[in-house]
């Protein structure tokens, strides 16, 4: 399918897109539900109990428990295929539960309508493809759709501008997303999530396509969002980054929670080496004291050599 021509837009998006976005949610807004209140730090925003997920006839997640509170960052880590993205999708409502329950704001996720959920949590998927030539500002503005025709819509322009600045894509505002690099698109997707301004953020590998500077930018954004009262769940592969950003780390292995606790509790060389099937060493940074997780190299020198 050929891409549509990129529409002209101001830095905060075109009026035509604004009209289309509002129209997409107008039917749901006819049932105007009360806007969610901002909950104080320490309040449970999300509670998952004994969650199981099936995909393609196989159980990919079993008996997973997770509580997320306002003001904290929870990092989900684990090797490929451990169930991290499946758990995040279950928490967001994008995957059905085979067993267990997820509550958001004290209500079962399945009992909430889509608009209410979209006002309580924002989701950054692992792959956020855009097939049409929307401008960057237009894509970020899509995050404001749940608030159309509510008092919060008055914040649309500052929310979009602030989100683009936080993700360092404001200089790209009038560019078509189809002309951007993979890392630039990833930051635009993050900006869309930030523009949604929900108290719960669910981020699947937000650093995967980014250079070192922008990985550190994401770390700062995640921790600052938590400091402002948000609860953040983030899937990340870099264990040192997980230790740096998270208040709690949840380790998944083979579709189960293998460990959960503070970075100091979870970042244990024996545990991590067992889960990743690779010798890993946890050391303190000599200047800052931050935990660093270092792999044994080369693989042939590691305990037991490479796996067959």
């Amino acid at each position: 399918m050929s891409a549509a021509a990129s529409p002209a837009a101001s830095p905060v998006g075109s009026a035509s897109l604004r009209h289309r976005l509002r129209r997409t949610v107008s039917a749901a807004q006819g049932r105007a539900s009360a806007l969610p209140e901002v909950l104080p730090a320490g309040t449970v925003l999300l509670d998952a109990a004994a969650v199981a997920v099936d995909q393609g006839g196989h159980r990919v997640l079993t008996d997973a428990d997770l509580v997320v509170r306002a003001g904290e960052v929870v990092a989900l880590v684990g090797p490929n295929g451990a169930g991290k993205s499946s758990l995040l999708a279950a928490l967001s409502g994008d995957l059905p539960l085979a067993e267990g329950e997820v509550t958001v704001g004290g209500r079962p996720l399945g009992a909430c309508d889509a608009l209410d959920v979209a006002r309580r949590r924002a989701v950054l998927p692992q792959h956020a493809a855009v097939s049409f030539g929307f401008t960057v500002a237009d894509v970020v503005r899509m995050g404001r759709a749940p608030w159309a025709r509510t008092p919060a819509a008055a914040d649309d322009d500052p929310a979009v501008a602030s989100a683009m600045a936080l993700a360092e894509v404001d200089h790209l505002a009038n560019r078509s997303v189809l002309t951007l690099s993979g890392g630039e698109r990833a930051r635009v997707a993050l900006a869309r999530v930030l523009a949604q301004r929900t108290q719960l953020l669910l981020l699947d590998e937000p650093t995967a396509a980014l250079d070192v500077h922008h990985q550190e930018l994401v770390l700062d954004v995640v921790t600052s969002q938590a400091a402002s009262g948000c609860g953040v769940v983030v899937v990340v592969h870099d264990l040192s980054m997980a230790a740096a950003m998270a208040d709690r780390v949840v380790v998944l292995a083979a579709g189960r929670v293998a460990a959960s606790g503070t970075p100091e509790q979870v970042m244990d060389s024996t545990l991590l080496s067992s889960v990743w099937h690779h010798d890993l060493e946890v050391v303190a940074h000599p200047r800052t004291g931050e935990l660093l997780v270092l792999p044994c190299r080369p693989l042939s020198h590691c305990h037991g050599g490479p796996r067959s």
Side-chain angles (χ1 to χ4, degrees):
M1 181 181 294
S2 60
S6 175
S10 68
V12 290
S14 66
S16 61
L17 178 68
R18 187 180 311 173
H19 174 71
R20 293 198 301 273
L21 294 176
R22 286 176 174 170
R23 189 174 57 189
T24 61
V25 293
S26 60
Q29 288 156 349
R31 310 191 301 273
S33 55
L35 299 184
E37 61 179 321
V38 177
L39 301 174
T43 304
V44 173
L45 301 178
L46 180 147
D47 188 355
V51 166
V53 173
D54 294 338
Q55 286 190 286
H58 300 281
R59 181 139 299 184
V60 295
L61 187 69
T62 302
D63 199 27
D65 297 329
L66 183 67
V67 174
V68 184
R69 294 177 173 84
E72 73 171 348
V73 179
V74 179
L76 305 182
V77 302
N80 295 144
K84 304 180 299 296
S85 294
S86 296
L87 175 56
L88 198 78
L91 301 180
S92 69
D94 291 335
L95 276 181
L97 305 183
E99 295 177 8
E101 184 178 62
V102 175
T103 60
V104 177
R107 297 178 59 197
L109 189 59
C112 301
D113 64 45
L115 187 58
D116 183 49
V117 172
R119 290 171 177 170
R120 293 179 182 275
R121 62 98 179 101
V123 182
L124 178 68
Q126 191 174 118
H127 304 290
V130 177
S131 302
F132 295 92
F134 294 117
T135 66
V136 166
D138 284 344
V139 172
V140 177
R141 182 172 289 277
M142 291 176 186
R144 299 300 300 163
W147 306 105
R149 297 184 182 178
T150 74
D155 295 330
D156 282 1
D157 287 354
V160 171
S162 173
M164 289 194 296
L166 285 172
E168 292 188 355
V169 295
D170 44 342
H171 65 291
L172 303 172
N174 292 315
R175 285 268 301 275
S176 165
V177 292
L178 300 182
T179 69
L180 304 182
S181 71
E184 288 169 334
R185 290 194 193 193
R187 283 160 34 223
V188 171
L190 175 62
R192 177 191 60 76
V193 168
L194 296 175
Q196 198 167 331
R197 288 194 174 178
T198 60
Q199 197 172 5
L200 178 62
L201 304 177
L202 306 176
L203 312 177
D204 197 350
E205 297 191 31
T207 61
L210 303 184
D211 58 44
V212 171
H213 166 72
H214 289 108
Q215 288 179 17
E216 293 300 312
L217 172 75
V218 169
L219 187 154
D220 285 346
V221 167
V222 166
T223 54
S224 65
Q225 290 294 304
S228 71
C230 292
V232 187
V233 183
V234 55
V235 174
V236 63
H237 277 289
D238 186 324
L239 296 175
S240 298
M241 180 167 286
M245 72 166 61
D247 299 290
R248 288 188 294 120
V249 178
V250 177
V251 180
L252 288 107
R256 292 180 177 272
V257 174
S260 179
T262 67
E264 292 75 17
Q265 293 170 329
V266 169
M267 296 301 175
D268 172 77
S269 294
T270 301
L271 168 68
L272 299 182
S273 297
S274 174
V275 169
W276 271 264
H277 302 290
H278 189 102
D279 283 353
L280 298 170
E281 185 177 6
V282 181
V283 299
H285 189 285
R287 180 172 57 85
T288 66
E290 291 183 344
L291 296 178
L292 303 176
V293 182
L294 306 175
C296 172
R297 295 174 183 152
L299 185 59
S300 59
H301 292 179
C302 297
H303 177 71
R307 299 181 74 213
S308 58

